[in-house]
Amino acid sequence: MSRNYRTEVKDLIKIIQRKSTSDGFEMEDIRTDLLALHNGLKDLSDEEMV
């Protein structure tokens, strides 16, 4: 796993963790954040394949 890939994943996880410690999550927020994480991982994976 490349350094950039790990950094991006860690950043996305930190964003989700920050949201979870504030006022908690709404179901739509969870769905949106998980979708963003999934898409971010997919994009990063695609970039590493090039």
Side-chain angles (χ1 to χ4, degrees):
M1 183 183 297
S2 75
R3 178 178 285 175
N4 288 340
Y5 182 81
R6 276 182 279 170
T7 300
E8 291 292 327
V9 170
K10 287 178 183 180
D11 289 344
L12 289 168
I13 291 170
K14 286 178 188 176
I15 291 167
I16 293 169
Q17 287 174 331
R18 263 187 257 127
K19 285 185 177 182
S20 71
T21 58
S22 58
D23 295 331
F25 281 115
E26 295 293 325
M27 287 305 291
E28 185 61 24
D29 292 340
I30 293 171
R31 188 187 78 72
T32 301
D33 289 338
L34 288 175
L35 184 60
L37 179 59
H38 169 75
N39 289 337
L41 292 173
K42 182 176 176 278
D43 291 344
L44 287 170
S45 179
D46 291 343
E47 287 174 15
E48 287 200 345
M49 294 294 191
V50 174

